[in-house]
Amino acid sequence: MAKIIDGKKISQEIKDELKKEAAALREQGKEASLAVIQVGSDPASSIYVNNKKKACAYVGIRSVSYELPSETTQEELLGIVRELNDREDIQGILVQLPLPAQIDEDAVIRAISPQKDVDGFHPESVGRMCIGEKGFLSCTPAGIIQLLKRSGVELEGKDCVVIGRSNIVGKPMALLLLRENATVTVAHSRTRNLKEICRRADVLVVAVGKPRLITREYVKEGAVVIDVGIHRDAENKMCGDVDFADVEPVAGAITPVPGGVGPMTIAMLMNNCLEAIRSKHE
Ligand code: GUN
């Protein structure tokens, strides 16, 4: 029986810590604020954006919301981002992805001031993370590091396998695990012998985007399994990239879906919003 890593509980602890810090910063006249921009009305994006705004309200971060029509042009969106870059009363800027096809996501990410890049997606933030300099960390991988640390999982010298190489999760995850002195392997859709590679892992982070792909044959007895996937199956039941029922009996610890990695992403976004004012006033 695996230990269930409770992301809901750990994210709540983090938000409570941040709430106290936000109140202390406010006493010093420093107010955290986040501009959240959504283009179009993709239902999944609307849920994420609402959860982000709710978390801001809980922690005590002022959120300003931009709901733009799906026909918004790239120039219009870039204009809003540039205006927000210049605004003294806005400390963090988040453009919810994905964006409609007529907008170049990379151009928008690059337009956000690196000082306000609370998603940690700007090339400057990514570069800083890569060389171990202070900067905004991508929220999902940073949240996974917190989940592991706060669950007492030692990473130094451990064999960690990350499945997935996206810019948002896989690549930054590998770099953050390396920072913790783990030995890191990155596997992906073209990897040969995926099962054998995964079975070497002390810590297996799965971000492949395929429902219940990872069964017990991929998991070493006692391994820590972190599931980044989020899907709905044929019965409309939520599930991850890991077949939880199959893997749980052999794993040492495992994150559930929902209630594992998901809530941590938002907690780390809140941390980045405070980081924007911590560093600004140093
Ligand atoms: N879409 C899915 N996840 C994210 C995220 O972490 N940040 C942004 N901006 N968009 C997303």
Side-chain angles (χ1 to χ4, degrees):
M1 283 283 280
K3 170 184 168 177
I4 308 297
I5 299 179
D6 188 345
K8 223 173 148 185
K9 178 161 163 264
I10 296 173
S11 68
Q12 188 61 47
E13 283 164 18
I14 293 173
K15 282 189 287 182
D16 285 333
E17 290 164 20
L18 294 172
K19 185 176 177 151
K20 281 194 196 130
E21 189 186 350
L25 285 164
R26 216 174 304 117
E27 297 243 307
Q28 299 165 37
K30 302 169 189 173
E31 198 198 27
S33 57
L34 174 67
V36 182
I37 306 173
Q38 183 182 357
V39 185
S41 53
D42 172 62
S45 288
S46 299
I47 293 172
Y48 291 136
V49 162
N50 267 332
N51 287 341
K52 288 169 189 181
K53 288 192 275 195
K54 263 197 253 166
C56 280
Y58 182 81
V59 171
I61 294 168
R62 189 168 60 87
S63 71
V64 183
S65 179
Y66 290 77
E67 284 153 30
L68 307 177
S70 57
E71 320 78 67
T72 302
T73 66
Q74 178 160 323
E75 268 320 303
E76 283 166 339
L77 179 56
L78 289 176
I80 291 171
V81 168
R82 290 190 196 111
E83 188 189 304
L84 291 166
N85 282 342
D86 291 339
R87 267 175 65 172
E88 293 280 335
D89 64 324
I90 296 293
Q91 318 300 338
I93 303 171
L94 182 144
V95 180
Q96 186 67 23
L97 305 177
L99 290 168
Q102 74 275 15
I103 301 178
D104 174 358
E105 279 184 7
D106 285 339
V108 174
I109 289 169
R110 280 174 191 273
I112 296 171
S113 161
Q115 279 72 45
K116 299 188 178 185
D117 174 37
V118 287
D119 258 328
F121 294 165
H122 191 285
E124 182 174 322
S125 305
V126 177
R128 284 175 178 272
M129 174 185 59
C130 194
I131 58 175
E133 268 186 14
K134 209 165 178 311
F136 294 110
L137 298 178
S138 187
C139 299
T140 300
I144 292 170
I145 295 287
Q146 282 301 311
L147 264 187
L148 292 167
K149 286 190 170 174
R150 290 174 185 245
S151 306
V153 177
E154 181 62 52
L155 290 169
E156 182 153 327
K158 292 289 174 64
D159 283 320
C160 295
V161 174
V162 179
I163 324 180
R165 55 175 160 177
S166 69
N167 289 339
I168 292 181
V169 185
K171 283 183 211 161
M173 187 73 253
L175 286 164
L176 293 183
L177 288 166
L178 206 51
R179 242 197 211 187
E180 300 298 325
N181 300 316
T183 303
V184 184
T185 303
V186 183
H188 48 81
S189 54
R190 311 278 173 87
T191 297
R192 279 182 282 162
N193 306 324
L194 183 63
K195 272 186 195 162
E196 287 75 61
I197 290 168
C198 290
R199 268 206 298 263
R200 293 206 296 260
D202 300 308
V203 177
L204 180 62
V205 180
V206 191
V208 274
K210 296 204 178 108
R212 299 197 180 103
L213 175 78
I214 300 302
T215 51
R216 64 171 67 196
E217 301 94 78
Y218 291 79
V219 178
K220 177 168 82 176
E221 177 125 24
V224 176
V225 180
I226 305 292
D227 189 353
V228 185
I230 183 152
H231 315 277
R232 280 197 186 271
D233 67 11
E235 283 112 55
N236 207 31
K237 190 168 174 268
M238 276 174 99
C239 71
D241 292 345
V242 175
D243 186 334
F244 185 91
D246 194 56
V247 169
E248 188 270 335
V250 298
I254 187 167
T255 58
V257 176
V261 172
M264 294 301 291
T265 301
I266 292 190
M268 298 323 284
L269 174 68
M270 299 299 105
N271 180 60
N272 280 351
C273 291
L274 288 197
E275 181 60 23
I277 56 170
R278 284 182 202 124
S279 50
K280 196 170 178 210
H281 295 272
E282 256 167 19

